[in-house]
Amino acid sequence: MGTYTPLARYESAAATARVREQLAGVRDVMWEKAVLDVGIARLAAKLDLRPAEAIGRLEEMARHGGMSLVEAARRVETPPPDDSPLPELPGWVQPMLETFHVTASYLTPITDSVGRLVDFRVAAMNSHGTTPDGRTPASVLGTRALLVSPAIGSSGLHDRYISSYETGVPFSRPPAEHVEIAGDHIFPVLMSVRTARVADGLLMSWLVHDDQDMLVSGWGRAQRLAGLGWGEWNLATGQVIWTPEMYEIFGREPYEEPVALEDVPGMVVPEDLATVADVVDSLL
């Protein structure tokens, strides 16, 4: 494997500092979006609103309180748990859910005072299922869908769930990024979703895609195009996944750690620094 002449210390440090600053900005935006999603979901659950309506209420709170929207979202308290008994479901629901290889749940509608559908309640879930952030069925049964996964509001998934239930037309979304807050950390996953109305509920299944599996197609393309590598940098967690070709391009052994995104500018020859910096700027 070849090695690259490192950049001058000043050039490398400046480029690395710039990328680190941009990464911090991206992570801050992701965190603020996740905080907003949680606040909107809590407000929607408290007031029996749809997410778009809860956003309007949150904006009013922020304006009257003289605070930012994110700060207003942080102040929305978690609504008390719904202690009402779960609806009695037909005997076929749970066995049907258990046939799914992926996580599947059966949601029952929640309506407001005038009978308008505003959310769903997790009435059943297959025993081997987990939420995108790893929770088990016992921890989410009886909970509103918005409180289980606040990001479905801003992503448009919640609207599609309602539409699928009201029209009877099944809905399917291919793999897309889905970001939640798990404890004190943002939790991004790549998730595909399917829904269909079945009897008086909404049948929903989802699959969280493994990072390595999602790179298989990229690996194949890279191997067919000699001299190219394939890698992914998770901006939220810092995880890096490289193909073998990437290690060769960067002059590293397979047992060494992949290069962090902020350190990439320091790995290129001086005449390529401007190009790499421009690409990273566009990416972030």
Side-chain angles (χ1 to χ4, degrees), residues 12-252:
S12 176
T16 296
R18 176 171 175 78
V19 175
R20 283 179 175 161
E21 180 181 358
Q22 290 173 315
L23 284 172
V26 170
R27 290 170 182 142
D28 286 345
V29 170
M30 294 177 71
W31 176 259
E32 289 184 355
K33 179 185 176 300
V35 170
L36 278 173
D37 287 341
V38 171
I40 290 166
R42 290 174 177 175
L43 198 58
K46 281 185 175 183
L47 304 178
D48 275 339
L49 301 173
R50 292 184 178 181
E53 300 161 340
I55 292 173
R57 293 292 186 91
L58 191 64
E59 289 173 342
E60 291 178 9
M61 289 172 54
R63 186 168 55 254
H64 293 319
M67 66 187 82
S68 69
L69 203 59
V70 173
E71 181 59 31
R74 287 195 180 98
R75 298 192 180 192
V76 180
E77 296 179 354
T78 304
D82 186 349
D83 295 328
S84 60
L86 288 169
E88 186 174 348
L89 301 177
W92 50 263
V93 171
Q94 192 65 40
M96 175 188 64
L97 294 176
E98 297 297 340
T99 65
F100 282 74
H101 290 284
V102 299
T103 300
S105 61
Y106 191 72
L107 311 179
T108 51
I110 296 175
T111 57
D112 62 12
S113 59
V114 296
R116 186 184 58 140
L117 177 59
V118 293
D119 201 356
F120 296 92
R121 193 179 184 200
V122 182
M125 187 172 172
N126 51 4
S127 58
H128 53 278
T130 58
T131 64
D133 58 356
R135 283 172 290 168
T136 60
S139 64
V140 298
L141 285 179
T143 307
R144 286 177 178 247
L146 269 172
L147 294 178
V148 172
S149 182
I152 63 176
S154 62
S155 68
L157 282 176
H158 192 263
D159 290 336
R160 300 304 297 268
Y161 295 170
I162 290 176
S163 176
S164 182
Y165 180 85
E166 292 181 334
T167 66
V169 178
F171 163 68
S172 175
R173 189 190 74 170
E177 186 179 69
H178 189 83
V179 181
E180 304 278 9
I181 290 181
D184 294 327
H185 304 282
I186 51 177
F187 189 83
V189 295
L190 203 62
M191 185 176 74
S192 54
V193 180
R194 289 179 177 271
T195 66
R197 178 167 181 170
V198 180
D200 294 325
L202 187 71
L203 177 62
M204 180 176 69
S205 66
W206 64 89
L207 174 64
V208 175
H209 297 266
D210 181 80
D211 291 337
Q212 296 281 1
D213 292 340
M214 290 304 298
L215 277 177
V216 168
S217 61
W219 290 355
R221 289 193 297 271
Q223 290 169 356
R224 288 193 298 270
L225 300 172
L228 297 181
W230 187 272
E232 282 194 0
W233 286 264
N234 188 312
L235 302 186
T237 65
Q239 181 186 20
V240 184
I241 302 174
W242 273 10
T243 64
E245 290 78 12
M246 286 290 281
Y247 286 92
E248 184 172 355
I249 289 171
F250 280 88
R252 297 176 73 80

Side-chain angles (χ1 to χ4, degrees), residues 3-12 15 264-278:
T3 58
Y4 292 116
T5 303
L7 292 173
R9 180 175 298 179
Y10 172 78
E11 293 175 311
S12 176
V264 169
M267 300 290 291
V268 302
V269 293
E271 55 266 31
D272 289 342
L273 178 58
T275 300
V276 171
D278 184 59

